[in-house]
């Protein structure tokens, strides 16, 4: 699937950083409101990462993104 930011109904990107300020529910809410919600995953275990993506996808009617970095 190719996604273009110009397709957003609302020009908002909800992109929390790592450290747990965001949740799958927040990412889904931003997506459902017409923006692009992100799931912060920098400090998540692979299991929690997969669970968060599944939860956000289940609750979102549109696309979601993942904010991922790998700390040293």
């Amino acid at each position: 699937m190719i996604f273009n930011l110009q397709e957003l109904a609302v020009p908002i990107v909800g992109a929390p950083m790592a450290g747990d300020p965001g949740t799958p529910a927040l990412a889904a809410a931003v997506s459902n409101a017409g923006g692009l919600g992100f799931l912060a995953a920098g400090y998540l275990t692979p299991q929690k990462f997969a669970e968060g993506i599944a939860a956000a996808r289940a609750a979102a009617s549109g696309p979601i993104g993942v904010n991922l970095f790998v700390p040293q």
Side-chain angles (χ1 to χ4, degrees), residues 34-61:
L36 179 60
F38 274 75
L39 179 64
Y43 294 119
L44 299 180
T45 65
Q47 179 67 30
K48 290 289 185 185
F49 180 53
E51 290 170 3
I53 290 173
R57 282 184 173 168
S61 60

Side-chain angles (χ1 to χ4, degrees), residues 3-70:
F3 176 75
N4 185 334
L5 287 173
Q6 295 176 353
E7 296 173 10
L8 294 176
V10 180
I12 293 176
V13 175
M17 302 303 285
D20 203 26
T23 64
L26 177 60
V30 173
S31 177
N32 292 340
L36 179 60
F38 274 75
L39 179 64
Y43 294 119
L44 299 180
T45 65
Q47 179 67 30
K48 290 289 185 185
F49 180 53
E51 290 170 3
I53 290 173
R57 282 184 173 168
S61 60
I64 60 161
V66 176
N67 180 358
L68 178 64
F69 70 95
V70 181

